[in-house]
């Protein structure tokens, strides 16, 4: 019996208790959950449903708990139900019911841990959104790992997720990039506020080779060529780097299209309809202070030039008109000021800023090697690139290490630590358990001990077996919570705890017989438990975009 199945049984028992007493059944929640007690002596699982319902139907919570417990004890697979404190239900499962979980996990396969919790949510998840003026660097890489993991987790919780990269291909930075390429092609110094780094030289050289006559053109024609061709080359390099990192975007949205396609003007019309636009000092403003922003924002300057904020407003309205219920923005540490203004845009557009828009801020990452800061990239000038990080540590170590910590805090990674083949390296620790479970399955097959269609779940009664089963049962709840709180690191920390629980099981319970000892029903049940652990490791690592090798 899985925790989800037990929760359904608890809800059914509560419904029966209310119906038997002709009470108001409308107070019943659509779903409920069960939790593992902190003290194992209190049972396998606990529920507070009687506390939730008692007062609503006019019963003392303990009286409500007694009624629910009476019905719940009749459910197959439940050994006992005890009432504790003001009305908690402490539930113990029958031995066979606990052990059945291993088979359920193996049969569910890649679907185990997935749910329909967010089935009605259509989510736009925007992350990385780097300027196409240089390689993807370490500052972008944390959101690449965390954003992609969050997309996978939201999808696992049932949401319809579109992963989107906003391409900042309009404005001053792009012009400076084009000027830098033109200067490099002509072997001139980098212009003030331009882009240094070998990558500019490399791109300029490649573009000259494609168009050998370009340097005979006028300065304006050269800049136009190097701006457009350089943009296309840099954007493709960004896509290639991110794909190499296992990050795929469904949409690459061009900022320039907002201006060229009339989306900004359309957004201004929509905001005028809501009554939040005003004119002052020859400029057009959005009254964002009405919705918590620290100041009103200019949309069109007095000289007629549209601001970046106007494009931000147009982009948000464009997302909503594409049918997204929730727009999640994942921004860097220097974007705290965007939270208030983006939420104000949503409110000015007539939306609920608490529901329709979320802004997540990620803190900075620094890289060490043996405790010393890593030297900056020669190619990128002042940055460490994503490709250099992959070359140094590999995709798995980079993605896991970036995703396993809360993005609320700055992160420091040491290359020597995260590539070490030892248990103190978290990604190795988790992947090793996946490889060990696969090794045991191979050894069993070589000895002729394959998983049979049926096993005796009641054989799994050892304390370490039960601990492992309970940990495996927690996985769907961890995924659902990680999705709800937008915290992929919860999956990583769960996997590390699961790895420790599996090691303790392995040290205390022989999965395969020694020597000439017979292969018993207990060994067969443990093989199923071993396979279930492998499946959860595979599923959990996949949510983080990390592989689960069968051999290490």
């Amino acid at each position: 019996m899985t925790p989800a199945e037990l929760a359904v049984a608890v809800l059914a028992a509560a419904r029966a208790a209310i119906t038997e007493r002709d009470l108001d059944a409308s107070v019943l929640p659509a779903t409920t959950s069960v939790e593992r007690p902190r003290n194992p002596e209190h049972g396998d699982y606990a529920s507070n449903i009687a506390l939730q319902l008692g007062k609503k139907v006019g019963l003392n919570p303990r009286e409500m708990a007694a009624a629910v417990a009476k019905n719940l004890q009749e459910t197959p697979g439940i050994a006992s139900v005890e009432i504790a404190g003001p009305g908690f239900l402490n539930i113990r499962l029958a031995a066979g019911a606990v052990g059945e979980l291993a088979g359920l996990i193996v049969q569910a396969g890649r679907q185990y841990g997935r749910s329909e919790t967010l089935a009605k949510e259509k989510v736009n998840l925007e992350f990385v959104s780097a300027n196409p003026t240089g390689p993807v660097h370490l500052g972008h890489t944390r959101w690449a790992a965390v954003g992609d993991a969050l997309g996978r987790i939201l999808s696992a919780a049932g949401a319809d997720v579109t992963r989107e990269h906003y391409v900042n291909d309009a404005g001053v930075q792009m012009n400076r990039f084009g000027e830098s390429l033109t200067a490099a092609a002509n072997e001139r110094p980098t212009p003030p506020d331009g882009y240094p780094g070998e990558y500019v030289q490399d791109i300029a050289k490649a573009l000259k080779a494609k168009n050998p006559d370009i340097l005979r053109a006028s300065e304006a024609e050269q800049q136009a060529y190097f701006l457009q061709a350089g943009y296309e080359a840099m954007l493709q390099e960004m896509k290639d780097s991110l794909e190499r990192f296992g990050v795929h975007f469904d949409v690459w949205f061009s900022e320039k299209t907002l201006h060229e396609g009339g989306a900004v003007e359309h957004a201004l019309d929509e905001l005028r309809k809501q009554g939040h636009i005003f004119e002052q000092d020859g400029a057009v403003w959005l009254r964002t202070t009405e919705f918590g922003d620290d100041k009103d924002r200019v949309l069109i300057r007095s000289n007629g030039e549209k601001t970046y904020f106007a494009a931000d407003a147009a982009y948000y309205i464009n997302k909503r008109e594409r049918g997204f219920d929730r727009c999640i923005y994942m921004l860097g540490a220097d974007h705290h000021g965007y939270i208030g203004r983006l939420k104000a845009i949503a409110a000015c557009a007539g939306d609920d800023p608490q529901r329709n828009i979320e802004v997540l801020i990620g803190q900075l990452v620094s890289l060490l090697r043996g405790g010393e800061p890593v030297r900056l990239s020669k190619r990128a000038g002042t940055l460490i690139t994503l490709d250099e990080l992959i070359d140094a540590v590999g995709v798995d170590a980079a993605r896991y290490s970036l995703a396993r910590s809360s993005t609320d805090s700055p992160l420091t990674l040491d290359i020597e630590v995260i590539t070490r083949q030892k248990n103190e390296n978290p990604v190795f620790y988790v992947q090793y358990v996946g490889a060990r479970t696969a090794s045991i399955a191979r050894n069993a097959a070589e000895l002729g001990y394959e998983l049979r269609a049926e096993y005796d779940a009641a054989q799994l009664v050892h304390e370490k077996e039960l601990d492992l089963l309970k940990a495996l049962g927690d996985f769907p709840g961890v995924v659902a919570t990680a999705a709800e709180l937008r915290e992929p690191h919860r999956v990583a920390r769960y996997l590390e705890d699961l790895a420790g629980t599996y090691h303790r099981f392995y040290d205390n319970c022989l999965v395969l017989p020694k020597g000439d000892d017979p292969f018993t029903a207990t060994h067969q049940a443990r093989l199923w438990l071993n396979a279930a652990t492998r499946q959860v490791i595979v599923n959990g690592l996949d949510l983080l975009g990390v592989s689960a090798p069968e051999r290490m």
Side-chain angles (χ1 to χ4, degrees):
M1 178 179 288
T2 67
E5 290 173 329
L6 179 57
V8 170
V10 168
L11 190 59
R15 182 178 291 107
I18 286 176
T19 303
E20 288 165 0
R21 288 160 178 74
D22 292 326
L23 300 172
D24 181 10
S26 67
V27 301
L28 279 166
T31 61
T32 190
S33 61
V34 293
E35 297 181 354
R36 289 170 58 185
R38 292 182 181 178
N39 185 346
E41 294 180 1
H42 293 165
D44 296 313
Y45 293 97
S47 169
N48 66 352
I49 195 166
L51 293 170
Q52 295 178 36
L53 298 177
K55 291 183 180 179
K56 292 180 180 179
V57 296
L59 290 179
N60 178 284
R62 281 189 66 89
E63 183 182 354
M64 185 72 207
V68 175
K70 172 180 170 294
N71 292 315
L72 191 57
Q73 284 175 330
E74 298 173 2
T75 303
I78 292 180
S80 66
V81 183
E82 299 173 357
I83 302 168
F88 291 103
L89 296 174
N90 289 337
I91 306 164
R92 286 182 171 81
L93 302 182
V98 178
E100 287 172 1
L101 178 61
L104 294 172
I105 292 172
V106 174
Q107 290 162 15
R110 297 300 290 263
Q111 293 301 307
Y112 184 68
R114 305 183 75 85
S115 70
E116 295 298 312
T117 306
L118 302 178
K120 296 182 180 180
E121 292 272 357
K122 188 173 181 183
V123 177
N124 181 287
L125 181 64
E126 183 207 330
F127 58 105
V128 181
S129 295
N131 292 341
T133 54
V136 180
H137 59 71
L138 189 62
H140 305 128
T141 301
R142 188 176 198 180
W143 268 149
V146 175
D148 186 66
L150 179 57
R152 292 165 184 253
I153 289 168
L154 290 170
S155 295
D160 178 4
V161 180
T162 293
R163 296 161 178 82
E164 186 154 316
H165 187 294
Y166 184 60
V167 183
N168 296 276
D169 54 3
V172 174
Q173 295 302 321
M174 290 304 302
N175 291 333
R176 288 174 178 166
F177 182 55
E179 292 166 1
S180 300
L181 290 170
T182 304
N186 286 278
E187 299 183 0
R188 299 196 300 255
T190 302
D193 297 323
Y195 289 88
E198 285 188 1
Y199 78 95
V200 174
Q201 304 291 330
D202 293 341
I203 294 173
K205 182 178 179 180
L207 296 181
K208 276 198 300 182
K210 283 186 178 181
N211 187 354
D213 296 329
I214 186 62
L215 296 188
R216 296 192 184 97
S218 69
E219 185 74 12
E221 289 173 323
Q222 288 186 44
Q223 290 206 14
Y225 168 73
F226 282 109
L227 172 59
Q228 182 59 33
Y231 159 67
E232 292 172 1
M234 197 70 257
L235 188 64
Q236 188 58 54
E237 180 177 324
M238 290 169 63
K239 290 180 178 180
D240 292 344
S241 295
L242 288 163
E243 288 283 355
R244 184 185 176 203
F245 199 48
V247 176
H248 173 78
F249 287 96
D250 304 302
V251 176
W252 289 77
F253 192 99
S254 163
E255 178 188 353
K256 194 158 53 175
T257 63
L258 292 173
H259 299 280
E260 295 175 348
V264 175
E265 290 76 10
H266 170 70
L268 296 181
D269 289 342
E270 293 300 309
L271 292 168
R272 279 194 183 91
K273 291 176 186 177
Q274 295 292 330
H276 300 298
I277 282 184
F278 67 98
E279 295 187 14
Q280 181 177 302
D281 300 328
V284 178
W285 299 68
L286 188 64
R287 203 181 301 279
T288 54
T289 51
E290 291 183 357
F291 300 102
D293 198 6
D294 57 344
K295 61 181 179 181
D296 293 327
R297 303 285 171 176
V298 177
L299 294 164
I300 304 176
R301 296 188 178 94
S302 56
N303 63 2
E305 181 183 338
K306 298 180 180 67
T307 63
Y308 283 117
F309 182 72
D312 290 339
Y315 187 39
Y316 171 76
I317 289 172
N318 175 276
K319 287 180 178 181
R320 292 285 287 130
E321 290 181 347
R322 280 187 277 151
F324 294 107
D325 307 306
R326 195 178 296 270
C327 303
I328 301 177
Y329 292 72
M330 305 179 78
L331 305 178
D334 56 345
H335 285 70
H336 275 282
Y338 277 72
I339 298 175
R341 71 187 72 167
L342 286 172
K343 285 188 169 290
I345 287 172
C348 288
D351 288 339
D352 180 354
Q354 300 306 315
R355 166 171 167 70
N356 297 121
I357 188 168
E358 295 179 30
V359 184
L360 309 179
I361 301 294
Q363 297 302 314
L364 299 175
V365 181
S366 55
L367 199 62
L368 307 178
R369 189 191 297 272
E372 296 296 324
V374 172
R375 292 180 62 186
L376 298 177
S377 167
K378 181 180 179 183
R379 179 171 185 266
T382 59
L383 306 167
I384 299 167
T385 69
L386 171 57
D387 284 323
E388 288 168 336
L389 178 65
I390 295 172
D391 292 340
V393 305
V395 171
D396 284 349
R399 287 194 61 142
Y400 190 93
S401 300
L402 289 162
R404 74 178 292 266
S405 298
S406 170
T407 55
D408 292 339
S409 302
L411 179 63
T412 300
L413 300 179
D414 192 309
I415 289 174
E416 291 188 3
V417 173
I418 65 177
T419 55
R420 197 172 289 157
Q421 301 290 295
K422 292 185 178 180
N423 284 346
E424 59 261 33
N425 175 9
V427 65
F428 175 82
Y429 186 59
V430 174
Q431 286 183 317
Y432 183 74
V433 167
R436 171 170 274 181
T437 56
S439 174
I440 289 172
R442 286 195 303 273
N443 292 340
E446 290 170 4
L447 294 169
Y449 306 141
E450 307 234 2
L451 287 181
R452 297 173 189 160
E454 296 182 0
Y455 69 100
D456 183 2
Q459 296 292 323
L460 299 175
V461 294
H462 190 284
E463 177 188 1
K464 302 306 178 186
E465 294 168 340
L466 296 176
D467 287 346
L468 182 54
L469 283 161
K470 290 174 184 176
L472 295 173
D474 287 342
F475 181 60
V478 170
V479 176
T481 301
E484 179 185 359
L485 299 179
R486 321 301 193 225
E487 293 181 344
H489 71 273
R490 290 176 176 268
V491 174
R493 297 310 174 106
Y494 162 82
L495 291 174
E496 292 165 30
D497 290 343
L498 176 63
T501 304
Y502 178 83
H503 281 307
R504 290 186 287 274
F505 155 76
Y506 180 84
D507 291 341
N508 287 275
C509 303
L510 284 174
V511 181
L512 298 176
K514 281 188 174 181
D516 295 329
D517 291 348
F519 184 74
T520 67
T522 299
H523 294 120
Q524 178 64 225
R526 287 173 179 170
L527 266 183
W528 276 87
L529 182 53
N530 181 76
T533 304
R534 165 78 187 169
Q535 189 64 66
V536 172
I537 293 288
V538 168
N539 293 1
L541 286 174
D542 183 65
L543 292 177
L544 301 176
V546 176
S547 69
E550 294 190 356
R551 289 179 169 86
M552 290 182 69

